[in-house]
PDB file of all heavy atoms in Angstrom:
ATOM      1  N   LYS A 728       0.912  -2.121  -8.521  1.00 98.00           N
ATOM      2  CA  LYS A 728       1.423  -0.969  -9.290  1.00 98.00           C
ATOM      3  C   LYS A 728       2.568  -0.298  -8.598  1.00 98.00           C
ATOM      4  O   LYS A 728       2.324   0.058  -7.448  1.00 98.00           O
ATOM      5  CB  LYS A 728       0.426  -0.114  -9.798  1.00 98.00           C
ATOM      6  CG  LYS A 728      -0.526  -0.615 -10.885  1.00 98.00           C
ATOM      7  CD  LYS A 728      -1.512   0.426 -11.188  1.00 98.00           C
ATOM      8  CE  LYS A 728      -2.385  -0.153 -12.461  1.00 98.00           C
ATOM      9  NZ  LYS A 728      -3.299   0.960 -12.810  1.00 98.00           N
ATOM     10  N   GLY A 729       3.696  -0.048  -9.333  1.00 98.00           N
ATOM     11  CA  GLY A 729       4.824   0.567  -8.710  1.00 98.00           C
ATOM     12  C   GLY A 729       5.776  -0.276  -7.943  1.00 98.00           C
ATOM     13  O   GLY A 729       6.820   0.141  -7.610  1.00 98.00           O
ATOM     14  N   ARG A 730       5.316  -1.473  -7.689  1.00 98.00           N
ATOM     15  CA  ARG A 730       6.195  -2.414  -6.914  1.00 98.00           C
ATOM     16  C   ARG A 730       6.722  -3.614  -7.751  1.00 98.00           C
ATOM     17  O   ARG A 730       7.843  -4.168  -7.630  1.00 98.00           O
ATOM     18  CB  ARG A 730       5.494  -2.925  -5.730  1.00 98.00           C
ATOM     19  CG  ARG A 730       5.064  -1.792  -4.665  1.00 98.00           C
ATOM     20  CD  ARG A 730       4.503  -2.435  -3.409  1.00 98.00           C
ATOM     21  NE  ARG A 730       3.388  -3.212  -3.592  1.00 98.00           N
ATOM     22  CZ  ARG A 730       3.361  -4.410  -3.347  1.00 98.00           C
ATOM     23  NH1 ARG A 730       4.355  -5.173  -2.692  1.00 98.00           N
ATOM     24  NH2 ARG A 730       2.225  -5.115  -3.381  1.00 98.00           N
ATOM     25  N   PHE A 731       5.747  -4.062  -8.576  1.00 98.00           N
ATOM     26  CA  PHE A 731       5.997  -5.326  -9.477  1.00 98.00           C
ATOM     27  C   PHE A 731       6.253  -4.907 -10.860  1.00 98.00           C
ATOM     28  O   PHE A 731       5.638  -3.975 -11.342  1.00 98.00           O
ATOM     29  CB  PHE A 731       4.899  -6.244  -9.483  1.00 98.00           C
ATOM     30  CG  PHE A 731       4.685  -7.018  -8.069  1.00 98.00           C
ATOM     31  CD1 PHE A 731       5.427  -6.582  -6.860  1.00 98.00           C
ATOM     32  CD2 PHE A 731       3.776  -8.001  -7.911  1.00 98.00           C
ATOM     33  CE1 PHE A 731       5.179  -7.196  -5.654  1.00 98.00           C
ATOM     34  CE2 PHE A 731       3.585  -8.747  -6.637  1.00 98.00           C
ATOM     35  CZ  PHE A 731       4.218  -8.283  -5.662  1.00 98.00           C
ATOM     36  N   THR A 732       7.073  -5.627 -11.602  1.00 98.00           N
ATOM     37  CA  THR A 732       7.206  -5.446 -13.019  1.00 98.00           C
ATOM     38  C   THR A 732       7.226  -6.734 -13.710  1.00 98.00           C
ATOM     39  O   THR A 732       7.977  -7.715 -13.269  1.00 98.00           O
ATOM     40  CB  THR A 732       8.615  -4.704 -13.316  1.00 98.00           C
ATOM     41  OG1 THR A 732       8.622  -3.433 -12.571  1.00 98.00           O
ATOM     42  CG2 THR A 732       8.824  -4.432 -14.814  1.00 98.00           C
ATOM     43  N   ILE A 733       6.476  -6.834 -14.803  1.00 98.00           N
ATOM     44  CA  ILE A 733       6.364  -8.117 -15.538  1.00 98.00           C
ATOM     45  C   ILE A 733       7.142  -7.670 -16.967  1.00 98.00           C
ATOM     46  O   ILE A 733       6.943  -6.660 -17.515  1.00 98.00           O
ATOM     47  CB  ILE A 733       4.978  -8.456 -15.842  1.00 98.00           C
ATOM     48  CG1 ILE A 733       4.937  -9.864 -16.598  1.00 98.00           C
ATOM     49  CG2 ILE A 733       4.129  -7.457 -16.628  1.00 98.00           C
ATOM     50  CD1 ILE A 733       3.563 -10.506 -16.709  1.00 98.00           C
ATOM     51  N   PHE A 734       8.010  -8.718 -17.429  1.00 97.00           N
ATOM     52  CA  PHE A 734       8.676  -8.490 -18.670  1.00 97.00           C
ATOM     53  C   PHE A 734       8.994  -9.930 -19.270  1.00 97.00           C
ATOM     54  O   PHE A 734       8.956 -10.880 -18.542  1.00 97.00           O
ATOM     55  CB  PHE A 734       9.868  -7.698 -18.549  1.00 97.00           C
ATOM     56  CG  PHE A 734      10.857  -8.059 -17.664  1.00 97.00           C
ATOM     57  CD1 PHE A 734      11.971  -8.850 -17.998  1.00 97.00           C
ATOM     58  CD2 PHE A 734      10.852  -7.974 -16.220  1.00 97.00           C
ATOM     59  CE1 PHE A 734      13.057  -9.351 -17.173  1.00 97.00           C
ATOM     60  CE2 PHE A 734      11.824  -8.345 -15.327  1.00 97.00           C
ATOM     61  CZ  PHE A 734      12.866  -9.058 -15.874  1.00 97.00           C
ATOM     62  N   ARG A 735       9.162  -9.914 -20.542  1.00 95.00           N
ATOM     63  CA  ARG A 735       9.310 -11.250 -21.291  1.00 95.00           C
ATOM     64  C   ARG A 735      10.762 -11.135 -22.050  1.00 95.00           C
ATOM     65  O   ARG A 735      11.288 -10.151 -22.376  1.00 95.00           O
ATOM     66  CB  ARG A 735       8.190 -11.541 -22.133  1.00 95.00           C
ATOM     67  CG  ARG A 735       8.189 -10.941 -23.615  1.00 95.00           C
ATOM     68  CD  ARG A 735       8.047  -9.543 -23.671  1.00 95.00           C
ATOM     69  NE  ARG A 735       7.680  -9.070 -24.994  1.00 95.00           N
ATOM     70  CZ  ARG A 735       8.263  -8.027 -25.617  1.00 95.00           C
ATOM     71  NH1 ARG A 735       9.087  -7.179 -24.816  1.00 95.00           N
ATOM     72  NH2 ARG A 735       7.890  -7.628 -26.819  1.00 95.00           N
ATOM     73  N   ASP A 736      11.160 -12.365 -22.177  1.00 94.00           N
ATOM     74  CA  ASP A 736      12.438 -12.550 -23.050  1.00 94.00           C
ATOM     75  C   ASP A 736      12.034 -13.637 -23.897  1.00 94.00           C
ATOM     76  O   ASP A 736      12.089 -14.821 -23.680  1.00 94.00           O
ATOM     77  CB  ASP A 736      13.714 -13.040 -22.147  1.00 94.00           C
ATOM     78  CG  ASP A 736      14.918 -13.164 -22.864  1.00 94.00           C
ATOM     79  OD1 ASP A 736      14.899 -13.279 -24.142  1.00 94.00           O
ATOM     80  OD2 ASP A 736      15.918 -13.020 -22.253  1.00 94.00           O
ATOM     81  N   ASN A 737      11.568 -13.162 -25.141  1.00 89.00           N
ATOM     82  CA  ASN A 737      11.043 -14.110 -26.126  1.00 89.00           C
ATOM     83  C   ASN A 737      12.125 -15.200 -26.637  1.00 89.00           C
ATOM     84  O   ASN A 737      11.672 -16.413 -26.825  1.00 89.00           O
ATOM     85  CB  ASN A 737      10.397 -13.392 -27.295  1.00 89.00           C
ATOM     86  CG  ASN A 737       9.125 -12.665 -26.946  1.00 89.00           C
ATOM     87  OD1 ASN A 737       8.472 -13.127 -25.933  1.00 89.00           O
ATOM     88  ND2 ASN A 737       8.651 -11.773 -27.825  1.00 89.00           N
ATOM     89  N   PRO A 738      13.320 -14.789 -26.927  1.00 91.00           N
ATOM     90  CA  PRO A 738      14.207 -15.890 -27.333  1.00 91.00           C
ATOM     91  C   PRO A 738      14.367 -16.975 -26.371  1.00 91.00           C
ATOM     92  O   PRO A 738      14.805 -18.225 -26.775  1.00 91.00           O
ATOM     93  CB  PRO A 738      15.534 -15.070 -27.567  1.00 91.00           C
ATOM     94  CG  PRO A 738      15.106 -13.662 -27.795  1.00 91.00           C
ATOM     95  CD  PRO A 738      13.890 -13.470 -27.051  1.00 91.00           C
ATOM     96  N   LYS A 739      14.174 -16.725 -25.058  1.00 93.00           N
ATOM     97  CA  LYS A 739      14.399 -17.696 -23.981  1.00 93.00           C
ATOM     98  C   LYS A 739      12.977 -18.280 -23.719  1.00 93.00           C
ATOM     99  O   LYS A 739      12.950 -19.145 -22.791  1.00 93.00           O
ATOM    100  CB  LYS A 739      14.921 -17.149 -22.761  1.00 93.00           C
ATOM    101  CG  LYS A 739      16.376 -16.712 -22.973  1.00 93.00           C
ATOM    102  CD  LYS A 739      16.984 -16.219 -21.646  1.00 93.00           C
ATOM    103  CE  LYS A 739      18.430 -15.762 -21.791  1.00 93.00           C
ATOM    104  NZ  LYS A 739      19.059 -15.212 -20.566  1.00 93.00           N
ATOM    105  N   ASN A 740      11.917 -17.820 -24.280  1.00 93.00           N
ATOM    106  CA  ASN A 740      10.637 -18.299 -24.060  1.00 93.00           C
ATOM    107  C   ASN A 740      10.154 -18.211 -22.562  1.00 93.00           C
ATOM    108  O   ASN A 740       9.611 -19.022 -21.915  1.00 93.00           O
ATOM    109  CB  ASN A 740      10.381 -19.691 -24.442  1.00 93.00           C
ATOM    110  CG  ASN A 740      10.501 -19.900 -26.012  1.00 93.00           C
ATOM    111  OD1 ASN A 740      10.112 -18.965 -26.768  1.00 93.00           O
ATOM    112  ND2 ASN A 740      11.094 -21.055 -26.402  1.00 93.00           N
ATOM    113  N   THR A 741      10.569 -17.062 -21.900  1.00 95.00           N
ATOM    114  CA  THR A 741      10.406 -16.880 -20.540  1.00 95.00           C
ATOM    115  C   THR A 741       9.736 -15.553 -20.230  1.00 95.00           C
ATOM    116  O   THR A 741      10.039 -14.488 -20.895  1.00 95.00           O
ATOM    117  CB  THR A 741      11.843 -16.949 -19.856  1.00 95.00           C
ATOM    118  OG1 THR A 741      12.493 -18.129 -20.248  1.00 95.00           O
ATOM    119  CG2 THR A 741      11.694 -16.712 -18.329  1.00 95.00           C
ATOM    120  N   VAL A 742       8.959 -15.514 -19.187  1.00 97.00           N
ATOM    121  CA  VAL A 742       8.385 -14.307 -18.620  1.00 97.00           C
ATOM    122  C   VAL A 742       8.803 -14.158 -17.218  1.00 97.00           C
ATOM    123  O   VAL A 742       8.876 -15.230 -16.482  1.00 97.00           O
ATOM    124  CB  VAL A 742       6.793 -14.223 -18.862  1.00 97.00           C
ATOM    125  CG1 VAL A 742       6.185 -15.399 -18.100  1.00 97.00           C
ATOM    126  CG2 VAL A 742       6.221 -12.946 -18.421  1.00 97.00           C
ATOM    127  N   TYR A 743       9.001 -12.986 -16.765  1.00 98.00           N
ATOM    128  CA  TYR A 743       9.579 -12.700 -15.486  1.00 98.00           C
ATOM    129  C   TYR A 743       8.580 -11.780 -14.719  1.00 98.00           C
ATOM    130  O   TYR A 743       7.796 -11.048 -15.211  1.00 98.00           O
ATOM    131  CB  TYR A 743      10.836 -12.054 -15.425  1.00 98.00           C
ATOM    132  CG  TYR A 743      11.943 -12.816 -16.148  1.00 98.00           C
ATOM    133  CD1 TYR A 743      12.185 -12.586 -17.505  1.00 98.00           C
ATOM    134  CD2 TYR A 743      12.700 -13.688 -15.466  1.00 98.00           C
ATOM    135  CE1 TYR A 743      13.105 -13.331 -18.164  1.00 98.00           C
ATOM    136  CE2 TYR A 743      13.766 -14.503 -16.129  1.00 98.00           C
ATOM    137  CZ  TYR A 743      13.941 -14.236 -17.553  1.00 98.00           C
ATOM    138  OH  TYR A 743      14.898 -14.831 -18.251  1.00 98.00           O
ATOM    139  N   LEU A 744       8.554 -12.040 -13.367  1.00 98.00           N
ATOM    140  CA  LEU A 744       7.896 -10.976 -12.478  1.00 98.00           C
ATOM    141  C   LEU A 744       8.856 -10.527 -11.424  1.00 98.00           C
ATOM    142  O   LEU A 744       9.195 -11.322 -10.571  1.00 98.00           O
ATOM    143  CB  LEU A 744       6.573 -11.718 -11.762  1.00 98.00           C
ATOM    144  CG  LEU A 744       5.757 -10.800 -10.892  1.00 98.00           C
ATOM    145  CD1 LEU A 744       5.149  -9.727 -11.816  1.00 98.00           C
ATOM    146  CD2 LEU A 744       4.761 -11.499 -10.107  1.00 98.00           C
ATOM    147  N   GLN A 745       9.308  -9.349 -11.545  1.00 98.00           N
ATOM    148  CA  GLN A 745      10.205  -8.718 -10.545  1.00 98.00           C
ATOM    149  C   GLN A 745       9.396  -8.154  -9.524  1.00 98.00           C
ATOM    150  O   GLN A 745       8.508  -7.182  -9.820  1.00 98.00           O
ATOM    151  CB  GLN A 745      11.073  -7.641 -11.274  1.00 98.00           C
ATOM    152  CG  GLN A 745      11.970  -6.923 -10.307  1.00 98.00           C
ATOM    153  CD  GLN A 745      13.012  -7.774  -9.737  1.00 98.00           C
ATOM    154  OE1 GLN A 745      13.652  -8.649 -10.452  1.00 98.00           O
ATOM    155  NE2 GLN A 745      13.231  -7.817  -8.459  1.00 98.00           N
ATOM    156  N   MET A 746       9.452  -8.593  -8.217  1.00 98.00           N
ATOM    157  CA  MET A 746       8.718  -8.223  -7.149  1.00 98.00           C
ATOM    158  C   MET A 746       9.607  -7.321  -6.068  1.00 98.00           C
ATOM    159  O   MET A 746      10.489  -8.123  -5.485  1.00 98.00           O
ATOM    160  CB  MET A 746       8.049  -9.384  -6.426  1.00 98.00           C
ATOM    161  CG  MET A 746       7.337 -10.327  -7.484  1.00 98.00           C
ATOM    162  SD  MET A 746       6.994 -11.959  -6.759  1.00 98.00           S
ATOM    163  CE  MET A 746       5.815 -11.588  -5.457  1.00 98.00           C
ATOM    164  N   ASN A 747       9.319  -6.131  -5.997  1.00 98.00           N
ATOM    165  CA  ASN A 747      10.076  -5.277  -5.106  1.00 98.00           C
ATOM    166  C   ASN A 747       9.215  -4.773  -3.952  1.00 98.00           C
ATOM    167  O   ASN A 747       7.961  -4.762  -4.098  1.00 98.00           O
ATOM    168  CB  ASN A 747      10.722  -4.022  -5.828  1.00 98.00           C
ATOM    169  CG  ASN A 747      11.692  -4.486  -6.824  1.00 98.00           C
ATOM    170  OD1 ASN A 747      12.293  -5.545  -6.739  1.00 98.00           O
ATOM    171  ND2 ASN A 747      11.725  -3.761  -7.872  1.00 98.00           N
ATOM    172  N   SER A 748       9.680  -4.331  -2.864  1.00 98.00           N
ATOM    173  CA  SER A 748       8.967  -3.682  -1.755  1.00 98.00           C
ATOM    174  C   SER A 748       7.876  -4.623  -1.293  1.00 98.00           C
ATOM    175  O   SER A 748       6.861  -4.212  -1.177  1.00 98.00           O
ATOM    176  CB  SER A 748       8.418  -2.326  -2.175  1.00 98.00           C
ATOM    177  OG  SER A 748       9.428  -1.382  -2.545  1.00 98.00           O
ATOM    178  N   LEU A 749       8.241  -5.979  -1.142  1.00 98.00           N
ATOM    179  CA  LEU A 749       7.271  -6.976  -0.756  1.00 98.00           C
ATOM    180  C   LEU A 749       6.660  -6.656   0.567  1.00 98.00           C
ATOM    181  O   LEU A 749       7.272  -6.245   1.509  1.00 98.00           O
ATOM    182  CB  LEU A 749       7.891  -8.270  -0.821  1.00 98.00           C
ATOM    183  CG  LEU A 749       8.058  -8.718  -2.284  1.00 98.00           C
ATOM    184  CD1 LEU A 749       9.084 -10.015  -2.294  1.00 98.00           C
ATOM    185  CD2 LEU A 749       6.879  -9.274  -2.916  1.00 98.00           C
ATOM    186  N   LYS A 750       5.272  -7.029   0.688  1.00 98.00           N
ATOM    187  CA  LYS A 750       4.591  -6.922   1.784  1.00 98.00           C
ATOM    188  C   LYS A 750       4.008  -8.203   2.237  1.00 98.00           C
ATOM    189  O   LYS A 750       3.825  -9.088   1.503  1.00 98.00           O
ATOM    190  CB  LYS A 750       3.356  -5.978   1.555  1.00 98.00           C
ATOM    191  CG  LYS A 750       3.772  -4.545   1.079  1.00 98.00           C
ATOM    192  CD  LYS A 750       2.581  -3.685   0.732  1.00 98.00           C
ATOM    193  CE  LYS A 750       2.862  -2.382   0.251  1.00 98.00           C
ATOM    194  NZ  LYS A 750       1.532  -1.539  -0.111  1.00 98.00           N
ATOM    195  N   PRO A 751       3.728  -8.403   3.475  1.00 97.00           N
ATOM    196  CA  PRO A 751       3.138  -9.743   3.987  1.00 97.00           C
ATOM    197  C   PRO A 751       1.942 -10.077   3.261  1.00 97.00           C
ATOM    198  O   PRO A 751       1.727 -11.254   3.041  1.00 97.00           O
ATOM    199  CB  PRO A 751       2.863  -9.467   5.474  1.00 97.00           C
ATOM    200  CG  PRO A 751       3.898  -8.417   5.895  1.00 97.00           C
ATOM    201  CD  PRO A 751       4.097  -7.464   4.685  1.00 97.00           C
ATOM    202  N   GLU A 752       1.049  -9.134   2.817  1.00 97.00           N
ATOM    203  CA  GLU A 752      -0.086  -9.410   2.051  1.00 97.00           C
ATOM    204  C   GLU A 752       0.205  -9.921   0.754  1.00 97.00           C
ATOM    205  O   GLU A 752      -0.751 -10.341  -0.118  1.00 97.00           O
ATOM    206  CB  GLU A 752      -1.073  -8.264   2.009  1.00 97.00           C
ATOM    207  CG  GLU A 752      -0.409  -6.964   1.561  1.00 97.00           C
ATOM    208  CD  GLU A 752       0.058  -6.056   2.764  1.00 97.00           C
ATOM    209  OE1 GLU A 752       0.550  -6.628   3.792  1.00 97.00           O
ATOM    210  OE2 GLU A 752      -0.195  -4.874   2.716  1.00 97.00           O
ATOM    211  N   ASP A 753       1.399  -9.892   0.229  1.00 98.00           N
ATOM    212  CA  ASP A 753       1.835 -10.558  -1.054  1.00 98.00           C
ATOM    213  C   ASP A 753       1.979 -12.096  -0.872  1.00 98.00           C
ATOM    214  O   ASP A 753       2.206 -12.691  -1.957  1.00 98.00           O
ATOM    215  CB  ASP A 753       3.137  -9.873  -1.564  1.00 98.00           C
ATOM    216  CG  ASP A 753       2.909  -8.432  -1.929  1.00 98.00           C
ATOM    217  OD1 ASP A 753       1.942  -8.006  -2.470  1.00 98.00           O
ATOM    218  OD2 ASP A 753       3.862  -7.587  -1.699  1.00 98.00           O
ATOM    219  N   THR A 754       2.044 -12.501   0.385  1.00 98.00           N
ATOM    220  CA  THR A 754       2.254 -13.958   0.512  1.00 98.00           C
ATOM    221  C   THR A 754       1.166 -14.741  -0.202  1.00 98.00           C
ATOM    222  O   THR A 754      -0.126 -14.506   0.015  1.00 98.00           O
ATOM    223  CB  THR A 754       2.169 -14.322   1.982  1.00 98.00           C
ATOM    224  OG1 THR A 754       3.298 -13.661   2.616  1.00 98.00           O
ATOM    225  CG2 THR A 754       2.305 -15.834   2.174  1.00 98.00           C
ATOM    226  N   ALA A 755       1.587 -15.709  -1.087  1.00 98.00           N
ATOM    227  CA  ALA A 755       0.624 -16.521  -1.770  1.00 98.00           C
ATOM    228  C   ALA A 755       1.349 -17.445  -2.715  1.00 98.00           C
ATOM    229  O   ALA A 755       2.598 -17.475  -2.838  1.00 98.00           O
ATOM    230  CB  ALA A 755      -0.237 -15.533  -2.734  1.00 98.00           C
ATOM    231  N   VAL A 756       0.601 -18.504  -3.307  1.00 98.00           N
ATOM    232  CA  VAL A 756       1.138 -19.216  -4.416  1.00 98.00           C
ATOM    233  C   VAL A 756       0.919 -18.411  -5.695  1.00 98.00           C
ATOM    234  O   VAL A 756      -0.064 -17.923  -6.009  1.00 98.00           O
ATOM    235  CB  VAL A 756       0.386 -20.581  -4.556  1.00 98.00           C
ATOM    236  CG1 VAL A 756       0.883 -21.336  -5.711  1.00 98.00           C
ATOM    237  CG2 VAL A 756       0.623 -21.343  -3.204  1.00 98.00           C
ATOM    238  N   TYR A 757       1.967 -18.252  -6.409  1.00 98.00           N
ATOM    239  CA  TYR A 757       1.998 -17.464  -7.703  1.00 98.00           C
ATOM    240  C   TYR A 757       1.991 -18.434  -8.869  1.00 98.00           C
ATOM    241  O   TYR A 757       2.845 -19.399  -8.944  1.00 98.00           O
ATOM    242  CB  TYR A 757       3.274 -16.553  -7.721  1.00 98.00           C
ATOM    243  CG  TYR A 757       3.068 -15.240  -6.905  1.00 98.00           C
ATOM    244  CD1 TYR A 757       3.045 -15.388  -5.578  1.00 98.00           C
ATOM    245  CD2 TYR A 757       2.865 -13.973  -7.475  1.00 98.00           C
ATOM    246  CE1 TYR A 757       2.887 -14.255  -4.694  1.00 98.00           C
ATOM    247  CE2 TYR A 757       2.621 -12.934  -6.686  1.00 98.00           C
ATOM    248  CZ  TYR A 757       2.683 -13.003  -5.259  1.00 98.00           C
ATOM    249  OH  TYR A 757       2.517 -11.907  -4.530  1.00 98.00           O
ATOM    250  N   TYR A 758       1.051 -18.117  -9.789  1.00 98.00           N
ATOM    251  CA  TYR A 758       0.909 -18.977 -10.981  1.00 98.00           C
ATOM    252  C   TYR A 758       1.255 -18.218 -12.261  1.00 98.00           C
ATOM    253  O   TYR A 758       0.720 -17.133 -12.371  1.00 98.00           O
ATOM    254  CB  TYR A 758      -0.520 -19.532 -11.065  1.00 98.00           C
ATOM    255  CG  TYR A 758      -0.966 -20.368  -9.927  1.00 98.00           C
ATOM    256  CD1 TYR A 758      -1.475 -19.923  -8.732  1.00 98.00           C
ATOM    257  CD2 TYR A 758      -0.699 -21.727  -9.941  1.00 98.00           C
ATOM    258  CE1 TYR A 758      -1.830 -20.770  -7.616  1.00 98.00           C
ATOM    259  CE2 TYR A 758      -1.051 -22.603  -8.933  1.00 98.00           C
ATOM    260  CZ  TYR A 758      -1.649 -22.161  -7.774  1.00 98.00           C
ATOM    261  OH  TYR A 758      -2.017 -22.927  -6.707  1.00 98.00           O
ATOM    262  N   CYS A 759       1.875 -18.897 -13.152  1.00 98.00           N
ATOM    263  CA  CYS A 759       2.181 -18.291 -14.434  1.00 98.00           C
ATOM    264  C   CYS A 759       1.024 -18.897 -15.364  1.00 98.00           C
ATOM    265  O   CYS A 759       0.637 -20.079 -15.256  1.00 98.00           O
ATOM    266  CB  CYS A 759       3.509 -18.807 -15.060  1.00 98.00           C
ATOM    267  SG  CYS A 759       3.858 -18.188 -16.617  1.00 98.00           S
ATOM    268  N   ALA A 760       0.550 -18.064 -16.300  1.00 97.00           N
ATOM    269  CA  ALA A 760      -0.496 -18.474 -17.202  1.00 97.00           C
ATOM    270  C   ALA A 760      -0.220 -17.937 -18.588  1.00 97.00           C
ATOM    271  O   ALA A 760       0.373 -16.865 -18.756  1.00 97.00           O
ATOM    272  CB  ALA A 760      -1.891 -17.946 -16.626  1.00 97.00           C
TER     273      ALA A 760
END
């Protein structure tokens, strides 16, 4: 919270995850669902 933002663009059938102020503990494989 306060660092990541999720938003969608329906005409493009796309969802985004904007990730700011990244920390080492954010290291991972990220999956869309």
Side-chain angles (χ1 to χ4, degrees):
K728 284 184 177 179
R730 300 189 299 121
F731 292 8
T732 303
I733 186 171
F734 58 98
R735 86 285 195 229
D736 186 339
N737 287 342
K739 295 183 178 180
N740 297 323
T741 302
V742 63
Y743 303 91
L744 183 67
Q745 179 65 46
M746 309 163 66
N747 299 325
S748 301
L749 284 163
K750 305 175 181 179
E752 50 263 44
D753 294 319
T754 295
V756 177
Y757 283 70
Y758 297 90
C759 177

